[in-house]
Amino acid sequence: MIDVNNSPGASGSEPSNDTSATRKNTTELVKATLARRYAAEKRFRFYGIFAIAASLLFLAVLLTSIFIKGLPAFTATKVQLEVTLDTELLGIDATANEDAIRAANYAAVIKKAMRERFPDATKRKQKKELDRLMSTGAEYDIARRVQENPNLLGQTVTLWLQADDELDALIKSGVDLTKPDAISTRMSDQQIAWANQFKETGEVKTGFNTAFFTNGDSREPEQAGIRAALTGSAFTLLVTFLLSFPIAVAAAIYLEEFAPQNRWTDIIEVNINNLAAVPSIVFGLLGLAVFINFMHLPRSAPIVGGLVLSLMTLPTIIIASRASLKAVPPSIREAATGLGASPQQVVWHHVLPLAMPGILTGTIIGLAQALGETAPLLMIGMVAFIVDIPTSITDASTVLPVQVFLWADSPERAFVERTSAAIIVLLGFLVAMNAVAVLLRKKFERRW
Amino acid sequence: MVDKALNDTHQSAFDAIKETVGEFTVADPKMRTKNVDVFYGDKQAIFDVSLDIGNNEVIAMIGPSGCGKSTFLRCLNRMNDTIPTCRVSGSMSLEGEDLYGPNLDPVLLRARVGMVFQKPNPFAKSIYDNVAYGPRIHGLSNNRAELDDIVIGSLKKAGLYDEVKDRLEAPGTSLSGGQQQRLCIARTIAVSPEVILMDEPCSALDPIATARIEELIDELRENYAIAIVTHSMQQAARVSQRTAYFHLGKLVEVGETNHIFTNPSHELTENYITGRFG
Ligand SMILES: Nc1ncnc2c1ncn2[C@@H]1O[C@H](COP(=O)(O)OP(=O)(O)O)[C@@H](O)[C@H]1O
Ligand SMILES: [Mg+2]
């Protein structure tokens, strides 16, 4: 005979032993501990605030230093010069074709123009110093104008031309050019005097540095740009995303929704988790051995970079995707199954849309890691000196962090500011990526 | 040791249940189950249960927690297929078709045997899309107008239409608990099932919402066979025509609801309905 008496009526009738004496005692005991508890709470809150303040401070210092160093690189100095496009000096005439126009001797024209502007430069050394005020980029400036309008040949025109990086730095620093002794620069006093003349007559101006965003790398800092690295990064990330996102999401869905729970899936799970912890350079070595030496894919190309970074990104996205698939309430699966949805319909119609915000977050974290990755790309030769903007995923290219690494190694002062500027661009890329993710997440985010 | 003594008494009572008291068959069954055993891994949850579900009747399944009511109910539309460790033996049929036979696809079965769950679980979609989902995946309508008819008809049958007709595009989750549960019922009847299984559909609802659902169940009985698991004996008494009492995985007693509640034949049934354990 069963008599398990646990109905609510039975327990309520027990006699109460809550006398007022014991109750008072309890009040005092609790009171005694209250102060201690509040103190602990306060202390803990203080630790938290301190930690946040400290990390904010570090971040602020870091960003400020990067921005202070990097912002000058976004402007460039141009010099106004009256140039005679003498066909004899240029070595071309009005019938010249495109190639000839590009290859013409603009340097000679510029040199002549500079000497006419500063007739006081008579000595060999002075002439050399004078020539050094202009960038070789000035030649491209003229070439471009002539290409646009070949009728300029033979005429005398006034053009704004790119200045050399030392002159650029001098003008941008805003120092008093009449006191050359107080200026620390590699320029001679004579050069500073010329610069001062330019400045006083309004023949120099600083404007937005378009070259920085349109050029590839260069030995001349004033001509060096991040376009090649930016394009390389974009191509590499595109390959990474196209490979890792579908594969990782498919793997996560299979493992989470369809795979039987047995020893094999356990082994796979452990290995995926381990893969996420493998140092990235190992993936670079693997890529070198497999993709380049064995499969003979082109060296330094975004396709190989993307493949290597996909290997690295896959586990991150798989783990995040599985976690967010797991977080979808089972009641949603039951509801759909109970209505007669096939397992695949359950996943596509209900589970995946609900898991999408989490999956996207994981993807962005993975891609952000990939964007900032340098070491594995060094292994597969993406550290090359890239002047030409890559046009496909098989062209030799480099990526932003590697470009930062390369420029950070250069001694010229102008490269120092370009290093920071490249970091700013990299951060901008990241912010843009995150913004896209936030937008997508908003689109998918629904309550349940 | 108290636990052990308790276990022993349970064990002896359990052993004492040899066969179901009362008539477990009906003349014209919608669903028929015979000698069903269900296992979760090595653990047996249902022992040799045979029970018919008649046309146009509400059959209530009652019993203490963990006695296997949900397990048994979920076998009736093969929801237990989603639990890898679950194994079912014995025979179960819908209109003479073997549920676990090779010819009956579980997807088709679930379209014919719908289910309403304990916790309201609307999809993260609009009210309209919640109800339209089943007809859409099963291709029950040829155009938008037909689909509209199905959705509105189902909402009306579930007694929800008047409350939501102005906001069919609002998310299903924006409704109150009782409305959500009626939405789930509307969603289930939108695919025109023959049987509706309800697993404690009111346990998460307040008394007013509960009364609303009970009324609805009574109306639905005209067109569907309904099996409802409930914790509330009053509810079983109010909505059902037949009642089955489960105990530790065995079907102890089944019969006319009036009879079970006024004059139970088995000692365990009597103990349960008189509130001596629950
Ligand atoms: N997914 C599962 N895996 C293993 N055991 C389960 C599972 N679901 C239920 N059980 C067990 O089966 C027995 C019956 O459970 P259930 O059918 O949920 O009971 P009820 O609905 O009557 O409260 C319980 O002992 C429970 O622990
Ligand atoms: Mg249950």
Side-chain angles (χ1 to χ4, degrees):
Chain A
M1 177 75 210
I2 298 180
D3 201 308
V4 189
N5 209 339
N6 62 355
S7 66
S11 56
S13 58
E14 273 172 41
S16 159
N17 58 354
D18 243 358
T19 62
S20 65
T22 57
R23 201 176 300 144
K24 185 143 175 278
N25 201 3
T26 310
T27 312
E28 254 144 42
L29 286 175
V30 172
K31 255 188 193 153
T33 64
L34 270 184
R36 206 152 30 86
R37 283 192 256 174
Y38 285 138
E41 213 162 280
K42 218 181 232 162
R43 214 160 41 232
F44 190 74
R45 195 159 47 210
F46 171 76
Y47 293 150
I49 290 172
F50 177 78
I52 288 175
S55 43
L56 279 182
L57 183 74
F58 285 132
L59 191 68
V61 168
L62 188 76
L63 284 182
T64 321
S65 104
I66 287 174
F67 272 85
I68 287 177
K69 275 195 206 139
L71 282 181
F74 292 109
T75 55
T77 304
K78 295 228 163 195
V79 174
Q80 192 184 40
L81 209 56
E82 198 171 65
V83 192
T84 307
L85 294 171
D86 187 343
T87 48
E88 225 162 274
L89 266 181
L90 287 172
I92 55 170
D93 56 30
T95 63
N97 63 10
E98 290 253 323
D99 286 340
I101 289 179
R102 204 176 303 135
N105 190 0
Y106 298 104
V109 176
I110 294 171
K111 276 181 189 166
K112 186 151 170 276
M114 287 295 276
R115 287 194 197 141
E116 280 165 8
R117 173 67 183 78
F118 295 110
D120 54 330
T122 47
K123 291 199 203 89
R124 223 178 97 84
K125 181 163 170 275
Q126 284 179 321
K127 286 182 183 171
K128 256 205 167 130
E129 284 184 353
L130 188 60
D131 293 340
R132 245 185 266 135
L133 287 181
M134 298 306 291
S135 161
T136 48
E139 297 167 29
Y140 302 120
D141 286 345
I142 304 181
R144 220 172 298 130
R145 295 296 291 269
V146 175
Q147 267 171 337
E148 279 166 19
N149 182 7
N151 293 337
L152 291 179
L153 283 176
Q155 296 184 22
T156 301
V157 284
T158 307
L159 298 172
W160 284 100
L161 300 175
Q162 194 172 26
D164 185 65
D165 58 313
E166 291 291 340
L167 177 58
D168 176 54
L170 191 69
I171 299 293
K172 283 194 292 194
S173 67
V175 292
D176 183 0
L177 297 181
T178 56
K179 299 195 189 79
D181 294 338
I183 304 169
S184 84
T185 170
R186 272 166 47 191
M187 295 176 91
S188 68
D189 291 356
Q190 174 71 72
Q191 283 177 310
I192 294 174
W194 287 326
N196 193 28
Q197 281 190 43
F198 270 145
K199 197 174 170 186
E200 275 166 4
T201 54
E203 283 168 288
V204 288
K205 67 169 183 190
T206 54
F208 182 68
N209 187 359
T210 42
F212 186 65
F213 290 97
T214 55
N215 289 1
D217 199 3
S218 170
R219 299 280 178 230
E220 301 296 331
E222 75 276 3
Q223 287 186 60
I226 41 126
R227 180 68 171 274
L230 199 59
T231 318
S233 267
F235 277 136
T236 308
L237 273 195
L238 187 73
V239 173
T240 309
F241 174 75
L242 290 181
L243 282 174
S244 60
F245 181 72
I247 294 177
V249 174
I253 290 178
Y254 177 73
L255 286 174
E256 205 51 53
E257 304 287 332
F258 297 108
Q261 285 297 314
N262 59 26
R263 218 156 43 93
W264 289 111
T265 42
D266 284 350
I267 290 174
I268 290 173
E269 177 158 4
V270 168
N271 278 305
I272 288 174
N273 290 343
N274 284 341
L275 218 54
V278 171
S280 57
I281 191 133
V282 176
F283 289 113
L285 281 169
L286 188 82
L288 179 65
V290 175
F291 299 131
I292 294 182
N293 291 343
F294 179 71
M295 289 165 71
H296 299 294
L297 289 173
R299 196 172 275 275
S300 310
I303 172 104
V304 182
L307 280 165
V308 168
L309 293 181
S310 298
L311 294 179
M312 215 191 75
T313 315
L314 268 172
T316 310
I317 307 185
I318 292 179
I319 291 170
S321 302
R322 289 190 66 179
S324 64
L325 287 171
K326 220 180 257 172
V328 173
S331 64
I332 296 288
R333 291 184 180 83
E334 288 202 317
T337 309
L339 274 178
S342 66
Q344 209 204 346
Q345 285 173 325
V346 173
V347 170
W348 283 104
H349 297 165
H350 302 285
V351 178
L352 202 53
L354 290 174
M356 216 44 178
I359 293 177
L360 285 175
T361 306
T363 307
I364 286 299
I365 292 173
L367 287 183
Q369 267 175 9
L371 177 65
E373 200 54 70
T374 319
L377 300 181
L378 302 184
M379 301 305 302
I380 55 158
M382 286 190 91
V383 66
F385 175 69
I386 305 293
V387 178
D388 296 320
I389 315 296
T391 55
S392 79
I393 56 170
T394 50
D395 285 354
S397 52
T398 187
V399 293
L400 284 168
V402 175
Q403 189 70 75
V404 170
F405 168 78
L406 287 172
W407 282 347
D409 239 11
S410 308
E412 285 94 337
R413 186 157 66 168
F415 273 130
V416 176
E417 63 184 39
R418 271 164 181 74
T419 305
S420 292
I423 294 173
I424 295 174
V425 171
L426 184 59
L427 290 176
F429 201 125
L430 259 179
V431 170
M433 243 164 66
N434 272 319
V436 170
V438 169
L439 284 180
L440 284 175
R441 215 156 38 211
K442 276 262 151 60
K443 196 169 166 289
F444 279 106
E445 213 144 63
R446 285 177 247 179
R447 290 177 304 141
W448 65 71
Chain B
M1 264 179 66
V2 180
D3 274 358
K4 185 151 192 319
L6 203 71
N7 261 337
D8 286 348
T9 48
H10 267 289
Q11 193 60 47
S12 59
F14 177 73
D15 292 338
I17 310 168
K18 287 288 181 262
E19 57 184 18
T20 306
V21 179
E23 187 52 56
F24 57 79
T25 59
V26 296
D28 174 28
K30 187 82 203 170
M31 298 191 87
R32 170 159 275 178
T33 66
K34 203 106 174 80
N35 307 112
V36 173
D37 292 321
V38 182
F39 300 84
Y40 289 111
D42 295 333
K43 185 169 166 276
Q44 189 163 4
I46 295 287
F47 297 82
D48 195 31
V49 169
S50 303
L51 183 63
D52 284 1
I53 297 171
N55 277 306
N56 304 340
E57 75 162 358
V58 176
I59 178 163
M61 300 177 184
I62 59 172
S65 275
C67 68
K69 306 177 296 287
S70 299
T71 301
F72 182 72
L73 198 71
R74 290 164 60 91
C75 289
L76 294 174
N77 72 344
R78 292 186 61 175
M79 281 299 284
N80 278 340
D81 287 15
T82 56
I83 300 170
T85 56
C86 183
R87 210 153 39 79
V88 181
S89 70
S91 91
M92 302 182 119
S93 61
L94 171 63
E95 304 248 285
E97 279 179 78
D98 185 5
L99 295 194
Y100 287 81
N103 298 325
L104 193 59
D105 192 277
V107 167
L108 176 63
L109 172 66
R110 290 179 199 133
R112 295 176 64 189
V113 182
M115 188 151 197
V116 176
F117 299 85
Q118 183 168 358
K119 209 176 129 248
N121 53 359
F123 298 132
K125 295 175 186 290
S126 70
I127 293 172
Y128 184 96
D129 287 338
N130 259 285
V131 184
Y133 182 70
R136 275 192 181 128
I137 58 171
H138 296 306
L140 300 185
S141 62
N142 295 317
N143 52 46
R144 180 75 188 201
E146 276 182 40
L147 190 59
D148 284 350
D149 286 347
I150 295 179
V151 170
I152 292 170
S154 307
L155 284 171
K156 277 185 179 153
K157 276 188 219 158
L160 188 61
Y161 184 65
D162 290 333
E163 289 158 67
V164 300
K165 61 172 180 254
D166 304 324
R167 46 173 177 149
L168 290 178
E169 293 310 315
T173 43
S174 67
L175 299 173
S176 74
Q179 287 174 325
Q180 286 189 17
Q181 194 61 299
R182 275 181 281 149
L183 178 64
C184 293
I185 294 174
R187 182 175 68 185
T188 304
I189 56 189
V191 291
S192 314
E194 298 158 41
V195 182
I196 302 178
L197 310 174
M198 299 185 172
D199 192 351
E200 301 185 30
C202 303
S203 65
L205 305 182
D206 61 76
I208 294 171
T210 302
R212 193 75 198 72
I213 303 252
E214 284 178 8
E215 259 171 56
L216 176 60
I217 292 171
D218 208 44
E219 288 162 21
L220 292 174
R221 178 164 64 92
E222 287 185 17
N223 300 309
Y224 309 92
I226 298 175
I228 178 171
V229 168
T230 175
H231 252 122
S232 150
M233 277 166 288
Q234 293 86 336
Q235 182 168 64
R238 282 192 298 262
V239 300
S240 70
Q241 285 74 52
R242 281 164 76 229
T243 297
Y245 174 66
F246 284 76
H247 189 94
L248 292 175
K250 293 187 178 173
L251 179 55
V252 176
E253 182 167 358
V254 60
E256 297 287 326
T257 299
N258 283 339
H259 178 77
I260 294 270
F261 280 100
T262 53
N263 189 14
S265 311
H266 199 285
E267 197 180 6
L268 285 169
T269 318
E270 185 177 354
N271 284 342
Y272 183 70
I273 62 173
T274 53
R276 313 230 358 229
F277 60 86

